[in-house]
Amino acid sequence: MSLIELKAEDLYDKEKVDLETIVIDDVFKLLQCDESGLSQEEAQRRIELFGPNKLEQEEQNAFLQFLSFMWNPLSWVMEGAALVAIVLSNGEGQPPDWQDFLGIVILLFVNSTIGFYEERNAGNAVKALMDSLAPKAKVKRNGTWSEIESAGLVPGDMISFKIGDIVPADCRLTEAINVSIDQAALTGESLPQSKKVADQCFSGSTCKQGEAEGVVISTGANTFFGRAASLVGQDDDTTGHLQKILAQIGSFCLVSIGIFVVAEILVLYAGFRYNYRRGLNNILVLLIGGIPIAMPTVLSVTLAVGAQQLAKHKAIVTRITAIEELAGVTILCSDKTGTLTTNKLTIDRATIRTYGPFSADDVMLLAAYASRTENQDAIDTSVVTALGDTSRARAGIKLLDFKPFNPVDKRTEITYLEESSGKLKRVTKGMTGIIIELCTRNKTDEIENKLEADVEEFASRGLRALAVGYEELDGDDPEAEGNGFELIGLLAIFDPPREDTKQTIDDAIALGVKVKMVTGDQLAIAKETGRRLGLGDHMYPARVLKDGPPPGGKHLNLDDMILDADGFAGVFPEHKYEIVKRLQGLGHLCAMTGDGANDAQLFLALTLVLPWRPGLSTIVHAIRGSRIIFQRMRNYSIYACAVTIRIVVCFAILAFAFKFDFPPFMVLIIALLNDGTIMTLSVDRVLPSMTPDAWDLAEIFSYAVAYGLYLTASTIALVAIIMRTTFFYDKFGVTFNGLPSPSSANDPQLHTIVYLQVAIISQALIFVTRSHGFFFMERPSVALMVAFCIAQFVSSIIAAYGDWGFTQISAISGGWIGIVWVWNIVWFSPLDWIKFAMKATVIKKMRERHDRKVAEAAVRASEGGIPITRTQSRAASIHESLYSNRVSFIRRAARKVGFGRKISMKPEELQRFSSIQAQRTGATLARNPSRTAA
């Protein structure tokens, strides 16, 4: 047997593969099995050979994941500072700065540990949710049928499935009774496909009708669905939107630090003639205190905790940064079936038409008689369910003969004995054209015209028509001819909206998200669904995406039409891609729901939240939850940038003005306590925005500069009063070792005072950045308050008892601690007013300028102009990629070689694909024969 070896790009190359269809008997030979099924021993051997029937996800190495939290430019600067402390500071007869080195290393490890722990927890929560969805399969082993988890299937297993089941693995059918398979999730075909013996069925498709048995030819990643999914998963574009934002915030902090580091080098060394070690300590203060080392960890923890919270609401996040992107969604493009609607056919009782002496209720009951009550197809289910009490479908009658629906006759028929009258009767239901031809008793021009008008009305509203005919039989022979069918009624079948969909759409609109329907169904069906949901019926067929708006219409161009439309019908994945691409070109961030592998290429660039609970409610809840998470990240970003400005500007000015040398180790203590408090922002109480969120970095930086300079002034003013006056001694009697003022600018007690003042007010700033109004009007979480109080208690204890000679601080009296607290409270009070002043002036002007630019861009687009986009510099692109390296670092360290290209599959290629699968599996078995084989 020749071995077929294929790469992904070779898989459908007609020059490299056998195009002939393998007959079903050869499949059994290749797979070394028969219709009695495999033995348990052989199944176990094949599990070890082929692996489980599930898509394996690449497991991250825990140690590498931990180290990855130290892999970004902000961490690199801190790691550089650690090297400076241990290597470059060694000189002038002094030992290396072991205390600062250990402090920096501990700070790095604390941040990495917290980030690793939370991200790991989030991953475990999502994994548990995925595991809870494990499907079952009916398999024949040792000649006996049993139910197992579908992950346990192997090539050669005999499986069976019936209406409503999901096909658990790629298989070839050995028995097929009136089988119809929905392959829309794989091929994009909107209608179920009839299957016969020897046909192939693919994993993930759904049995819509009938019963079947088959032999498994491929499992897991080797199935058609598995190959598509694994190839999609290998997309390596890891620089997401959040990484770009993180890069720009990091750049702001690094540039701010760099400016003042250069200034200190020039002033302290060239101007003040500082010795090497003294100047280096001042530079370390800026490096350690200015770097928001916790930023990647805080944002990762916030997203990880958010992912856990979303998982509780059945939203599975496959890429964690999707949470941040979802917060900015402005347009939600939703498919119809199963999302906006129930995906369950229903009889619209309000539209039942009658054509004879029977009432609408009579027609409904007779139609239910002509329906199967077991092993039903979708239409029979809808008719019987419409009765309310399904037992009525057989109550009072004795079933004599039943003809189920088949593709040739296109109708069902029942012959029954009415127990109350003892008469034989017959009812049929099916396609209107078939039924009216049978109805000889009342087939008049008037009836035909009325029926045709009703069917056209139903069609214009997107309703499927089901005609019902009735006749009576003379005598006792159920196979005898009746007295002729008469048309008695017409039923309207539709897929009704979910009960919660209208409210969910209203909720989405309230959040500033426009909902558009994008469906493969007919235009009339889409419009009717839109009307019932209040979504609107301003919808267009997919062909307008190619043809453009009609001449003389209200839309100037296609972009205008797409933006104005309530939805599109008859779409394929390429149409969805076109719609989204154009909406993105107009400045919108889009989310789109989809139904499987046929949308895989599209979803590489789109939303990455997979709600497995039906309907839109999970998605809308995820949008609301993502906005809460976004607010937490925005609040922290303003705080982190403000603290950077506050530290570097404050201590640089103190060094320039007073030759003040703050101990680097105390900046580490401030950073460590800050990080412990700020981590609780991941669970802080915040209100979601009622409009889509977007990162406005100019706004964030403006707030940061304003807060940072104000807090700098609070410290400089305190030091100036202490150094230049005896105000505090005169008013409160506090001293410096008995003196009314410090002996020098570097008095250890002055270091302690500055430490306490900076530690308290810097942390208190978070209460201002987290609120939109006055800080006391928005209650923080208990965790944040407790962490803040603990950090301030520790800071005060250090100030009261911290006689640490190695870091040049000395304990201060309770009087000084009280003065610092009161001083900070006085300076803290106006911070809200600074926020309001910024909103009314700088921020307002920035937003007005932004709105003008958006309006101008819209005008250019409406006039057919090309939108102007800023081209990103290569340097900026490289900088952003550094923040994505935390992901790629892990992948490079633990890479599993896979296919290198994305593939697509046309429906006509499916048969040949199953032939290849069977050959490949057979070749593997041939190379690994069973030891028990004869």
Short mmCIF file of all heavy atoms in Angstrom, two decimals, residues 722-723 725 728-729 733-744 747-751 753 812 816:
data_model
loop_
_atom_site.label_atom_id
_atom_site.label_comp_id
_atom_site.label_asym_id
_atom_site.label_seq_id
_atom_site.Cartn_x
_atom_site.Cartn_y
_atom_site.Cartn_z
N ILE A 722 9.73 73.28 54.84
CA ILE A 722 10.60 72.68 55.87
C ILE A 722 12.02 73.23 55.77
O ILE A 722 12.66 73.55 56.79
CB ILE A 722 10.60 71.15 55.73
CG1 ILE A 722 9.23 70.56 56.10
CG2 ILE A 722 11.69 70.52 56.60
CD1 ILE A 722 9.10 69.07 55.85
N MET A 723 12.55 73.37 54.54
CA MET A 723 13.93 73.80 54.36
C MET A 723 14.12 75.29 54.57
O MET A 723 15.17 75.73 55.09
CB MET A 723 14.41 73.42 52.94
CG MET A 723 14.52 71.94 52.68
SD MET A 723 15.81 71.13 53.66
CE MET A 723 17.27 71.96 53.04
N THR A 725 11.87 77.54 56.13
CA THR A 725 11.22 78.19 57.27
C THR A 725 11.21 77.25 58.47
O THR A 725 11.62 76.09 58.37
CB THR A 725 9.76 78.55 56.92
OG1 THR A 725 8.97 77.35 56.88
CG2 THR A 725 9.65 79.27 55.58
N PHE A 728 6.59 74.72 60.75
CA PHE A 728 6.03 73.58 61.47
C PHE A 728 6.54 73.51 62.91
O PHE A 728 5.81 73.09 63.82
CB PHE A 728 6.36 72.28 60.72
CG PHE A 728 5.67 72.17 59.39
CD1 PHE A 728 6.40 72.20 58.20
CD2 PHE A 728 4.30 72.06 59.31
CE1 PHE A 728 5.77 72.12 56.98
CE2 PHE A 728 3.66 71.97 58.09
CZ PHE A 728 4.39 72.01 56.91
N TYR A 729 7.77 73.94 63.14
CA TYR A 729 8.29 73.99 64.51
C TYR A 729 7.55 75.05 65.31
O TYR A 729 7.16 74.82 66.47
CB TYR A 729 9.79 74.29 64.49
CG TYR A 729 10.37 74.54 65.85
CD1 TYR A 729 10.62 73.48 66.72
CD2 TYR A 729 10.66 75.84 66.28
CE1 TYR A 729 11.14 73.70 68.00
CE2 TYR A 729 11.17 76.08 67.55
CZ TYR A 729 11.42 75.00 68.41
OH TYR A 729 11.93 75.23 69.67
N GLY A 733 5.56 72.53 67.04
CA GLY A 733 6.63 72.12 67.93
C GLY A 733 7.36 70.87 67.51
O GLY A 733 8.05 70.25 68.32
N VAL A 734 7.26 70.50 66.24
CA VAL A 734 7.96 69.30 65.76
C VAL A 734 9.40 69.67 65.41
O VAL A 734 9.68 70.78 64.97
CB VAL A 734 7.26 68.68 64.54
CG1 VAL A 734 5.93 68.07 64.95
CG2 VAL A 734 7.04 69.73 63.45
N THR A 735 10.31 68.72 65.60
CA THR A 735 11.72 69.00 65.38
C THR A 735 12.39 67.91 64.59
O THR A 735 11.80 66.86 64.32
CB THR A 735 12.46 69.12 66.74
OG1 THR A 735 12.42 67.83 67.39
CG2 THR A 735 11.81 70.17 67.62
N PHE A 736 13.66 68.18 64.23
CA PHE A 736 14.52 67.20 63.59
C PHE A 736 15.65 66.91 64.57
O PHE A 736 16.62 67.67 64.66
CB PHE A 736 15.09 67.75 62.28
CG PHE A 736 14.07 67.87 61.19
CD1 PHE A 736 13.28 69.01 61.07
CD2 PHE A 736 13.87 66.84 60.29
CE1 PHE A 736 12.33 69.12 60.08
CE2 PHE A 736 12.92 66.95 59.28
CZ PHE A 736 12.14 68.08 59.17
N ASN A 737 15.48 65.85 65.35
CA ASN A 737 16.47 65.51 66.39
C ASN A 737 16.76 66.71 67.29
O ASN A 737 17.90 67.03 67.61
CB ASN A 737 17.78 65.02 65.76
CG ASN A 737 17.61 63.71 65.01
OD1 ASN A 737 16.91 62.81 65.48
ND2 ASN A 737 18.22 63.61 63.84
N GLY A 738 15.68 67.40 67.68
CA GLY A 738 15.78 68.53 68.59
C GLY A 738 16.00 69.87 67.92
O GLY A 738 15.92 70.92 68.58
N LEU A 739 16.25 69.86 66.61
CA LEU A 739 16.47 71.11 65.88
C LEU A 739 15.18 71.54 65.18
O LEU A 739 14.39 70.72 64.75
CB LEU A 739 17.58 70.92 64.85
CG LEU A 739 18.96 70.52 65.40
CD1 LEU A 739 19.94 70.26 64.26
CD2 LEU A 739 19.50 71.61 66.34
N PRO A 740 14.97 72.88 65.03
CA PRO A 740 13.74 73.35 64.38
C PRO A 740 13.70 73.07 62.88
O PRO A 740 12.64 73.13 62.27
CB PRO A 740 13.75 74.86 64.66
CG PRO A 740 15.19 75.20 64.87
CD PRO A 740 15.80 74.01 65.54
N SER A 741 14.83 72.76 62.27
CA SER A 741 14.87 72.47 60.84
C SER A 741 15.91 71.40 60.59
O SER A 741 16.78 71.17 61.43
CB SER A 741 15.19 73.74 60.04
OG SER A 741 16.45 74.26 60.43
N PRO A 742 15.86 70.72 59.45
CA PRO A 742 16.82 69.65 59.18
C PRO A 742 18.24 70.19 59.04
O PRO A 742 18.45 71.32 58.61
CB PRO A 742 16.31 69.05 57.87
CG PRO A 742 15.50 70.12 57.23
CD PRO A 742 14.88 70.89 58.34
N SER A 743 19.19 69.34 59.37
CA SER A 743 20.58 69.74 59.31
C SER A 743 21.06 69.93 57.88
O SER A 743 21.98 70.70 57.61
CB SER A 743 21.46 68.70 60.02
OG SER A 743 21.27 67.42 59.42
N SER A 744 20.42 69.23 56.95
CA SER A 744 20.76 69.35 55.53
C SER A 744 19.58 68.85 54.71
O SER A 744 18.60 68.33 55.26
CB SER A 744 22.01 68.54 55.19
OG SER A 744 21.73 67.15 55.25
N ASP A 747 18.82 65.07 55.35
CA ASP A 747 18.57 64.60 56.70
C ASP A 747 17.71 63.34 56.62
O ASP A 747 16.68 63.33 55.93
CB ASP A 747 17.85 65.69 57.50
CG ASP A 747 17.70 65.33 58.97
OD1 ASP A 747 17.04 64.31 59.26
OD2 ASP A 747 18.24 66.06 59.82
N PRO A 748 18.10 62.25 57.30
CA PRO A 748 17.33 61.01 57.22
C PRO A 748 15.86 61.18 57.60
O PRO A 748 14.98 60.51 57.04
CB PRO A 748 18.05 60.07 58.19
CG PRO A 748 19.45 60.57 58.19
CD PRO A 748 19.34 62.07 58.07
N GLN A 749 15.55 62.07 58.56
CA GLN A 749 14.15 62.28 58.93
C GLN A 749 13.39 63.01 57.82
O GLN A 749 12.19 62.74 57.60
CB GLN A 749 14.08 63.07 60.23
CG GLN A 749 14.46 62.25 61.47
CD GLN A 749 14.20 62.98 62.76
OE1 GLN A 749 14.39 64.20 62.86
NE2 GLN A 749 13.74 62.25 63.76
N LEU A 750 14.06 63.92 57.10
CA LEU A 750 13.41 64.57 55.96
C LEU A 750 13.12 63.54 54.87
O LEU A 750 12.06 63.60 54.21
CB LEU A 750 14.30 65.69 55.42
CG LEU A 750 13.73 66.46 54.21
CD1 LEU A 750 12.37 67.06 54.55
CD2 LEU A 750 14.71 67.54 53.76
N HIS A 751 14.04 62.61 54.66
CA HIS A 751 13.77 61.52 53.70
C HIS A 751 12.49 60.76 54.08
O HIS A 751 11.68 60.43 53.23
CB HIS A 751 14.95 60.54 53.69
CG HIS A 751 16.15 61.05 52.97
ND1 HIS A 751 17.39 60.46 53.08
CD2 HIS A 751 16.33 62.12 52.15
CE1 HIS A 751 18.27 61.13 52.35
NE2 HIS A 751 17.65 62.14 51.78
N ILE A 753 9.95 61.87 55.90
CA ILE A 753 8.77 62.74 55.71
C ILE A 753 8.36 62.74 54.23
O ILE A 753 7.18 62.60 53.90
CB ILE A 753 9.08 64.17 56.20
CG1 ILE A 753 9.19 64.19 57.73
CG2 ILE A 753 7.99 65.14 55.74
CD1 ILE A 753 9.71 65.49 58.29
N ILE A 812 10.34 59.23 62.46
CA ILE A 812 9.85 60.57 62.78
C ILE A 812 8.76 60.46 63.84
O ILE A 812 8.19 59.38 64.08
CB ILE A 812 9.29 61.28 61.52
CG1 ILE A 812 8.17 60.45 60.88
CG2 ILE A 812 10.41 61.55 60.53
CD1 ILE A 812 7.52 61.12 59.69
N TRP A 816 4.96 64.67 63.31
CA TRP A 816 5.27 64.79 61.89
C TRP A 816 4.34 63.91 61.04
O TRP A 816 3.90 64.30 59.95
CB TRP A 816 6.72 64.41 61.63
CG TRP A 816 7.70 65.55 61.74
CD1 TRP A 816 8.73 65.68 62.61
CD2 TRP A 816 7.70 66.73 60.93
NE1 TRP A 816 9.39 66.87 62.41
CE2 TRP A 816 8.76 67.53 61.37
CE3 TRP A 816 6.89 67.21 59.90
CZ2 TRP A 816 9.07 68.77 60.82
CZ3 TRP A 816 7.19 68.44 59.33
CH2 TRP A 816 8.27 69.21 59.78
#
